Amino acid sequence: MLLDCAIHNFKDRGIALVFGGRADLSLGVSVTNCGTGISNASGIILGDEGGGLTISNCNGDGINIFRNATARLRGSYLSNNGRDSLSCTENSSARANTSVISNNGRRGVTCRENSSIQVRGSIVTDNGDTGVLATTGGYIDFTNTGASPSVLSGNRSPSSPALNTEGSGSALIKSNLG
């Protein structure tokens, strides 16, 4: 378990999980100025107990989740990364609720290759290309929770495919935003 920990200035990855590794990331954990913030291959990231995970200013992606990996984040701040903030591929799943995903170079949230992401009560704004992108069997649940409204704004393209429509390779983004 990491608590009140700062990981900075690694050329490659700030945190790397492989072959079923597990990371419990609690309040006050930050990963900044790395090549990629977190790379999760076949592992489990638990960052929803205390909330407050920060991943920012990484040259590549903020968080890569792939090869049947899982991640649960709550109250996180994923911002100012060079490429995608949260990327989920290869039959993986993630949840990033009540989080801020903003000012990333390419996309806020990317989901593809039969993966799924739940983004509820979160703000996805001002990303360089697309706010939320689902392709090749990806599924994104981007809905309001009532207490914490979701926001999708300021991105060059808010979503692809358009909210509540099916896109390339049977990808879908579900939303109840008005």
Side-chain angles (χ1 to χ4, degrees):
M1 173 181 270
L2 293 177
L3 175 65
D4 292 325
C5 177
I7 299 168
H8 303 294
N9 303 319
F10 283 88
K11 181 181 177 184
D12 195 12
R13 297 170 296 243
I15 297 174
L17 299 173
V18 295
F19 307 118
R22 176 180 166 146
D24 291 325
L25 308 174
S26 288
L27 187 62
V29 174
S30 67
V31 180
T32 59
N33 299 319
C34 296
T36 293
I38 298 176
S39 177
N40 180 10
S42 303
I44 299 170
I45 297 173
L46 300 174
D48 59 350
E49 290 301 314
L53 171 67
T54 297
I55 299 177
S56 65
N57 298 311
C58 294
N59 293 326
D61 293 336
I63 302 176
N64 277 328
I65 303 159
F66 56 103
R67 295 189 191 128
N68 300 305
T70 302
R72 294 186 339 213
L73 308 171
R74 182 177 52 85
S76 297
Y77 180 74
L78 312 173
S79 185
N80 299 312
N81 297 295
R83 293 190 310 220
D84 298 350
S85 182
L86 175 61
S87 176
C88 196
T89 63
E90 300 178 49
N91 300 306
S92 296
S93 64
R95 178 172 69 195
N97 295 338
T98 61
S99 296
V100 175
I101 300 170
S102 66
N103 297 312
N104 296 285
R106 281 196 317 197
R107 298 176 205 104
V109 177
T110 301
C111 186
R112 59 185 180 267
E113 299 167 7
N114 301 312
S115 296
S116 64
I117 299 178
Q118 180 188 82
V119 183
R120 291 193 176 157
S122 294
I123 297 169
V124 179
T125 186
D126 297 322
N127 295 288
D129 186 14
T130 307
V132 288
L133 172 70
T135 65
T136 56
Y139 174 76
I140 299 174
D141 179 348
F142 188 82
T143 57
N144 285 326
T145 60
S148 299
S150 295
V151 176
L152 181 62
S153 68
N155 305 288
R156 186 175 302 145
S157 169
S159 69
S160 179
L163 299 178
N164 299 315
T165 62
E166 189 173 306
S168 79
S170 298
L172 177 67
I173 299 173
K174 174 186 167 189
S175 176
N176 64 355
L177 301 181

